[in-house]
Amino acid sequence: MAPLLFADISLVSPLSYLRCFCSSSSVLFSMAPSIGSQEAKTICVMDASSRIGAALVDRLLRRGYTIHAAAFGRGDEGKAASWSESKRVRIFRSDPLDYHSIADAVRGCSGVFYSFDTDSYDEFMVEVEVRAAHNVLEACAQADTVERVVFTSSVTAVIWKENRKLAEDVDERDWSEPNFCRKFKLWHALAKTLSEKTAWALAMDRSVNMVSVNSGLLIETELSPSNSYLKGAPEMYEDGVLVTVELKLLIDAHICIFESADAFGRYLCFNHAICRPEDAVKLAQMLSPLAPSPPPSDELRVIQERIRSKKLNKLMLEFGDELQVAE
């Protein structure tokens, strides 16, 4: 039998899986920050067909922006139909591997929100995501109008390394090690690490103003144990770095980072670190709602949280204090 270390979480029994989890709150900011009308600005959201992208389009429309909704076609097509009725939304059918379709969507925009997600990750998808990131940043570099790019990455691009247990608390300065990810077939982590590194390298070389949001596991209705983010979840738990984020907070963070002139570099984004027994039970039930009842929470031990999001906390608090809500 394969050891639990880096086991495929979908193959772990609900009871064994549950023992890998626990949680402590690490709340960021509950209210969406806002600034005044942005009617003069056009923003590209890519992939607008993903859950994050669709939520960003809806939020940005409420804030007065005009939107280029670039859809990769893997998500909610119904959303695109509803946006087509708005005079402030222009829909683009984009292919992340087709540079020209990306450039068409970005052209004329002052800002770009970019995210890439897929149902499953393997070695091939790592190459696809890296190439897609390069295409997007190259298109942004070529577009004279782009003032800032907000690049959605992942906490998995931060936490995986050979000597991670000897390190201090994890923050935005940390990077996952590609060779370590390859060794344990952590394809989601490898894709996010290499694509983000590719984006940063091109942004610095071409003077593109880019900021990244390194998101925790997005809590959503259809979350399942087979989610690629959860590969290696037992070790994430043991290391105190298994974190989750709610969609509202993730969108708030994206808006804040785009609109705040003080935003720079990378930002870890999460509002829950899985370290407390009662939260472990709740997460396990969410992942496997039809599984047998989980064991009593006293069978789980509390793990010390070793990941911090102080940088984002500070930015969002300052943003909220200085700017008036306009939604």
Side-chain angles (χ1 to χ4, degrees), residues 148 200 209-212 257 260-267 311 315:
R148 173 167 288 177
W200 276 116
N209 180 355
M210 187 181 104
V211 186
S212 70
I257 286 168
S260 175
D262 296 328
F264 69 96
R266 308 169 85 203
Y267 288 87
K311 184 181 176 186
L315 182 72

Side-chain angles (χ1 to χ4, degrees), residues 260-314:
S260 175
D262 296 328
F264 69 96
R266 308 169 85 203
Y267 288 87
L268 292 178
C269 182
F270 61 92
N271 60 340
H272 228 62
I274 308 303
C275 301
R276 205 168 53 192
E278 53 267 37
D279 292 329
V281 171
K282 182 178 179 180
L283 180 59
Q285 290 174 327
M286 184 181 301
L287 290 166
S288 301
L290 301 180
S293 299
S297 61
D298 57 10
E299 292 186 16
L300 303 171
R301 64 189 184 91
V302 174
I303 299 295
Q304 182 178 357
E305 181 182 340
R306 291 185 54 248
I307 186 168
R308 305 297 175 195
S309 58
K310 293 179 180 179
K311 184 181 176 186
L312 181 59
N313 293 353
K314 183 175 183 294

Side-chain angles (χ1 to χ4, degrees), residues 200-237:
W200 276 116
L202 209 157
M204 290 186 285
D205 182 62
R206 305 294 294 278
S207 299
V208 176
N209 180 355
M210 187 181 104
V211 186
S212 70
V213 182
N214 293 78
S215 169
L217 173 67
L218 178 61
I219 296 299
E220 51 188 332
T221 306
E222 298 178 356
L223 187 65
S224 73
S226 62
N227 187 293
S228 298
Y229 183 107
L230 288 168
K231 175 81 176 194
E235 283 294 308
M236 281 191 262
Y237 158 74

Side-chain angles (χ1 to χ4, degrees), residues 67-85:
I67 308 297
H68 284 191
F72 293 163
R74 292 192 294 263
D76 187 355
E77 293 296 321
K79 274 289 184 182
S82 67
W83 296 329
S84 65
E85 301 174 2

